[in-house]
Amino acid sequence: MFIHQKIHLHRRCIPIIALAVLTTVSCIPSRDYLMENAPQISVASFVIRSVAGTAMTADLMLSINNRYDVEVPLTTLTADVSDGSGALLVSANVTTNTFIGALSTTLIPVSALLDMSRIANATASAVSQGKMLLTVRGSALIGKGKRAQALPFEHTITVIIPRVGISKLGIGEINPIAGRVNLAARLTVENDPAAGTLVAITYTCTLNGTLISSASLSNVSPKEERSEFDLSLPVYMRVATDAFSAVVSRKSVAYVIDAVFIYRTAEGEQAVPYRFAGSLGGK
C-alpha cells in the first residue's frame, strides 16, 4: 500500500563500489567490470498496513541484485517516502549485517510507523485524481568503514485512491439517563476495482480534541459501484464532559474522523487512510 500499484523504475547511475569491498577477489577486477556489474536495487513491494485501529506502517521490500561473482556486505539501508508534492511522509533507517551472495538477489524488508496526519493529508490531496504518486528514495551502504560505498535508488509508485466522502453527519439519539449522545455519520465510497476489494473500515472520532470513539466495520464486501456505510459515534459524558455538553446544547464542536479503509488484493491487504474534519452544531 495491496491496492493495485504500478511501480516505475527510474534507474540512476550507480556509483562504482570501491575495490576494497571485494576483499575476496583473487585478482583486481577491471573498471569496466565494476561499472557494468554494479549491484542493482529495486522496490519489490510497498504497502501501507493497518496494525491496530488507525495506526499504520509503511512496509517496503527492497530487492538487491549482486552481479559480482563474490559476496558483498550490506550494512545500512535508508529510505524516504514522499508524496507527489515532495512532502516527506516517512523515513526509515535499517542497520544490518547481511551478506549478498555472489550472483544472487536478496530481499531486505524496511518498515516504519506512519504519521496519520501526514499520510491522510497526502490522500486528501490525491483523492480528486483517484491516485497518489509516492516517491521512494534512499541508499544501500555496501562495505564497512572507509571501504563502504552508498548505492542510491529512486522509484515512483502509483497508488489507486478510491473516492470517499461523508454524506451525513449529525446528532442521533440523546440518552440523558445513560449520559450518552450518539452521533451518526455516513461514509460514501466509490468502489474502484483497481483498488481491490474493500473488506474492513476502522475509524476514530475526536471532538474538540478529545477522543470519543474508536471502532471498526468488518466483512463489508460492497457489491455496488457506490456504497454507503453508517458509523456509530457514541459520546459519553464521563469520557468527554465538555464535548458532551456542547453537543447536547447544540453548540459548535470541532470533529475529526480518521478512517482507514482496508482492501484485499492479490498481493495482500492494503490500507488507505482518510481524514474528515469540520464543525458540528452551532446556532
Side-chain angles (χ1 to χ4, degrees):
M1 243 244 161
F2 172 57
I3 283 185
H4 177 70
Q5 62 176 3
K6 300 176 181 177
I7 298 179
H8 307 284
L9 305 184
H10 299 294
R11 303 186 183 280
R12 284 183 172 180
C13 180
I14 299 178
I16 301 172
I17 296 180
L19 297 183
V21 172
L22 308 177
T23 56
T24 60
V25 180
S26 58
C27 60
I28 298 177
S30 68
R31 179 182 179 85
D32 289 341
Y33 174 84
L34 292 174
M35 293 184 64
E36 294 173 2
N37 296 280
Q40 296 177 322
I41 304 175
S42 61
V43 175
S45 66
F46 177 84
V47 296
I48 299 173
R49 196 177 309 280
S50 175
V51 292
T54 55
M56 294 166 292
T57 61
D59 294 342
L60 179 69
M61 187 69 73
L62 293 177
S63 174
I64 302 179
N65 179 23
N66 177 21
R67 300 187 294 173
Y68 292 127
D69 55 8
V70 295
E71 66 178 10
V72 293
L74 170 68
T75 58
T76 304
L77 270 174
T78 61
D80 293 337
V81 181
S82 304
D83 65 12
S85 69
L88 182 65
L89 300 181
V90 65
S91 293
N93 190 308
V94 175
T95 301
T96 182
N97 188 26
T98 302
F99 280 84
I100 313 299
L103 303 175
S104 67
T105 299
T106 298
L107 295 177
I108 304 294
V110 180
S111 182
L113 187 65
L114 275 170
D115 179 85
M116 180 65 186
S117 297
R118 291 184 182 182
I119 187 65
N121 288 339
T123 302
S125 300
V127 71
S128 60
Q129 288 79 38
K131 61 183 180 180
M132 178 169 58
L133 296 180
L134 299 179
T135 300
V136 182
R137 295 186 183 91
S139 65
L141 195 64
I142 301 293
K144 298 180 179 180
K146 295 181 179 180
R147 299 176 177 179
Q149 292 288 329
L151 304 181
F153 60 90
E154 179 176 331
H155 303 278
T156 299
I157 301 169
T158 301
V159 180
I160 303 300
I161 303 295
R163 289 177 171 82
V164 176
I166 291 184
S167 59
K168 174 185 175 182
L169 178 64
I171 300 174
E173 177 193 13
I174 299 178
N175 189 331
I177 297 177
R180 184 188 70 235
V181 175
N182 284 334
L183 301 182
R186 177 170 295 169
L187 295 180
T188 302
V189 184
E190 295 183 13
N191 300 308
D192 188 339
T197 301
L198 180 63
V199 295
I201 303 171
T202 63
Y203 60 92
T204 63
C205 178
T206 63
L207 296 180
N208 287 345
T210 300
L211 177 66
I212 60 98
S213 181
S214 178
S216 64
L217 300 175
S218 59
N219 301 317
V220 293
S221 300
K223 301 295 191 299
E224 302 176 355
E225 293 183 0
R226 184 184 179 91
S227 302
E228 293 183 336
F229 302 96
D230 290 325
L231 309 182
S232 177
L233 306 169
V235 184
Y236 289 93
M237 182 172 63
R238 68 178 184 273
V239 176
T241 303
D242 292 341
F244 177 87
S245 300
V247 172
V248 171
S249 60
R250 298 298 198 275
K251 294 180 180 179
S252 179
V253 58
Y255 72 85
V256 175
I257 298 176
D258 286 336
V260 177
F261 288 69
I262 302 173
Y263 290 83
R264 181 182 296 129
T265 71
E267 293 81 10
E269 290 189 350
Q270 163 74 10
V272 181
Y274 298 85
R275 170 166 287 181
F276 309 97
S279 59
L280 178 67
K283 296 179 181 181

